[in-house]
Amino acid sequence: MRKLSNTLSVLLFLMISTILFSTVDGNCFWYGDPGDPIIPYYEPSDDVVRPLHDYIHNNVYPRLTYAFLTFDNRGTDRGLTVYDKSKAYDGYTLLGSLAPVDENGLPWELDNSVGRPYSAILIDMEGNIVNKWQVAGFPAKMLPGGYVMGGVGTGVPGHLEDRALVQQDWCGNEVWRYEASVDPDKEIEDEDGNIIKFDGGLRMHHDFQREGNPVGYYAPGMHANTDGGKTLILIHDDPDEDTSHISNFPLEDDAIREVDWEGNVIWEWHPYEHFDECGFSDIAKEAIMTIQSGAGIIGATFPENDWQHINAVSYLGPNRWYRNGDERFHPDNIIWDGRTSNMTAIVARYDDPEGRWQSGDIVWKIGPDFVPGTKEHRLGQIIGQHMAHMIPQGLPGEGNILMFDNGGLAGWGSYFPGLPPMYPTVFRDYSRVIEFNPVTMEMEWEYVLKTPNEDGRKFFSWFISGAQRLKNGNTMITEGSTGRVFEVTQKGEIVWEYISPFGSINEQTGLSGPGMVYRAYRVPKGWVPQNAKCEKQK
């Protein structure tokens, strides 16, 4: 290709600048949005590449970041704001609250033995608090009989993780615990050069599942075990092996671990060992190699590269694809999604009978790229997604993939073909909840609101969040960053809405802020004990 002329370079620069700041319609893809013009590959000269790259990185990206971080579309109402009894699915709602204070702005009572406020909060359909537990809401999940699971204690500070995963009964008494350390022998230097023990306990984060139910929410005939069975846990892991072929920085990697009721490790999977199966382009690999993104920092000498940031892990469970002979969708296989990479994948638990893969191989994926020519292009660009899972058997849409496509900022690669490696590379200022066929990649259902409605709200949470399919066909959505939890019909009608009043307090200013909710789950009324009398264990 010939080099661009100076005149064309200026015109291209102006055109791109216009696109970057034109977000009135909420459509701010760099590429990959079906129906939008596709910017072709070009081979610009250095006098175009560096100024364009620097302009985007130094001016556009910080403005987008600031806008996303400060965006709050909740309005002034708090608590229950919508309830159509004739259309909403009756039950209780468990909020995984990330707020340290109650609805009156007062700190939750804190039990130092667990190091957690009451972050798992159960409300009824009217928004009244029914019960609360001192476990992390990152996430918290309810089991039949009024049991709740969540994290307790602090792992490595600043890494959004917990020292142990526990199960508590209705009264908050602990009935099960797992906290085997991931890195029991690791040592690091603090900022003064002293050797300290790297012991964050389990380092559990973002997701877990108890055997009996594949996804952690109600599905007919699939109740999670409460007194036995396996537990699937997502944990942080800093590999001891040499990972310099992946990144110049130490990796903040993840591990997916399955343990039995006694805490014995049955199975474990590490993403970094499957780097070559992820399908990163050469420019994306260069970005992962040279750029540090997203992880916490221990002291001043231990920067890590959070190259995947997996936030969801679940079993596939019984499904129509496997019944029809597609071995990729074995019920025991594991689906996960990476927020940083824009990638969702399924991992095999067993060797393929026909020798096409071995246990641990990635057998299905979408992303990390959604560019023209890829099978996933028809879905549109997915960015920073959360809670990707297969809708369980017995629910409307069973077998389809449901996820909260956050938008915001994510992705490894370059801003445009021909520009230097960078993270993030794709941006969008609204969220979507999408349901699609994992075989054909056809979109089956979508909830989206690109522009503000008459109340000045739009649908957008660029981090945390999730979606649950309900028995009546409605979808329960957690717009996490605003603390908004709502139920929509297949036609998009909001029939129940609750906006968390559990605010957070900025210690420097004393000002209150949004009461973020990591995830919320609607549970059947039959799961809640009636007239229970509680006695706390001593």
Side-chain angles (χ1 to χ4, degrees), residues 168-201:
Q168 295 180 358
D169 64 16
W170 180 253
C171 300
N173 299 308
E174 187 175 301
V175 298
W176 180 86
R177 170 182 287 249
Y178 178 71
E179 63 176 325
S181 179
V182 177
D183 302 301
D185 301 318
K186 184 180 283 292
E187 295 179 342
I188 61 170
E189 289 186 8
D190 64 15
E191 53 190 354
D192 297 321
N194 301 311
I195 299 296
I196 59 175
K197 195 76 170 179
F198 185 91
D199 184 11

Side-chain angles (χ1 to χ4, degrees), residues 296-312:
I297 297 177
I298 302 174
T301 59
F302 201 72
E304 299 164 311
N305 194 358
D306 194 5
W307 69 288
Q308 278 286 1
H309 194 96
I310 295 178
N311 62 60

Side-chain angles (χ1 to χ4, degrees), residues 11 83 85 117 119 123 169 184 260 437 451:
L11 290 174
Y83 183 22
K85 293 184 179 181
S119 294
I123 61 173
D169 64 16
D260 63 19
N437 183 311
T451 56

Side-chain angles (χ1 to χ4, degrees), residues 186-331:
K186 184 180 283 292
E187 295 179 342
I188 61 170
E189 289 186 8
D190 64 15
E191 53 190 354
D192 297 321
N194 301 311
I195 299 296
I196 59 175
K197 195 76 170 179
F198 185 91
D199 184 11
L202 178 59
R203 306 191 68 195
M204 186 275 293
H205 70 97
H206 287 81
D207 215 355
F208 54 85
Q209 310 295 342
R210 172 61 59 73
E211 183 182 8
N213 180 285
V215 296
Y217 64 73
Y218 171 73
M222 288 193 286
H223 299 315
N225 296 342
T226 60
D227 57 359
K230 299 177 292 186
T231 304
L232 191 69
I233 311 172
L234 179 60
I235 51 183
H236 279 139
D237 175 38
D238 294 335
D240 288 325
E241 291 81 359
D242 182 11
T243 58
S244 60
H245 63 291
I246 297 175
S247 178
N248 294 335
F249 304 89
L251 293 184
E252 166 123 308
D253 204 44
D254 298 284
I256 301 173
R257 176 180 290 182
E258 187 179 60
V259 300
D260 63 19
W261 185 257
E262 289 73 33
N264 302 304
V265 177
I266 301 171
W267 183 82
E268 193 163 284
W269 189 83
H270 299 263
Y272 80 93
E273 295 177 342
H274 301 270
F275 180 77
D276 291 336
E277 300 173 39
C278 292
F280 290 109
S281 65
D282 289 342
I283 192 68
K285 289 179 180 179
E286 186 177 352
I288 295 170
M289 176 65 72
T290 58
I291 299 168
Q292 186 272 336
S293 175
I297 297 177
I298 302 174
T301 59
F302 201 72
E304 299 164 311
N305 194 358
D306 194 5
W307 69 288
Q308 278 286 1
H309 194 96
I310 295 178
N311 62 60
V313 58
S314 62
Y315 300 103
L316 294 183
N319 62 85
R320 53 185 167 137
W321 316 115
Y322 183 72
R323 289 194 298 271
N324 290 334
D326 195 330
E327 292 284 341
R328 296 176 300 169
F329 302 106
H330 191 288

Side-chain angles (χ1 to χ4, degrees), residues 66-135:
Y66 178 78
F68 292 162
L69 284 173
T70 57
F71 188 81
D72 182 3
N73 64 356
R74 296 186 305 168
T76 57
D77 293 333
R78 302 291 186 270
L80 185 71
T81 57
V82 177
Y83 183 22
D84 185 337
K85 293 184 179 181
S86 65
K87 296 181 180 180
Y89 179 71
D90 196 20
Y92 294 95
T93 302
L94 185 71
L95 306 174
S97 175
L98 301 185
V101 297
D102 66 16
E103 65 269 32
N104 299 312
L106 301 174
W108 285 121
E109 177 186 354
L110 188 65
D111 183 341
N112 291 327
S113 67
V114 296
R116 281 287 176 191
Y118 290 101
S119 294
I121 305 166
L122 189 70
I123 61 173
D124 63 19
M125 295 298 289
E126 303 288 347
N128 303 304
I129 296 178
V130 177
N131 204 352
K132 55 186 187 288
W133 292 262
Q134 288 177 296
V135 297

Side-chain angles (χ1 to χ4, degrees), residues 96-98 137-138 160 206 309 311 337 339 383-387 403-407 431 460-467 478-484 514-520:
S97 175
L98 301 185
F138 208 65
L160 301 176
H206 287 81
H309 194 96
N311 62 60
D337 72 61
R339 188 220 180 284
I383 304 175
Q385 74 280 9
H386 280 72
M387 201 179 165
M403 69 168 64
F404 191 103
D405 174 15
N406 293 70
S431 298
F460 182 44
S461 174
W462 79 285
F463 57 100
I464 56 180
S465 310
T478 307
E479 187 184 276
S481 66
T482 66
R484 179 176 174 238
M516 294 183 291
V517 175
Y518 177 66
R519 283 188 204 160

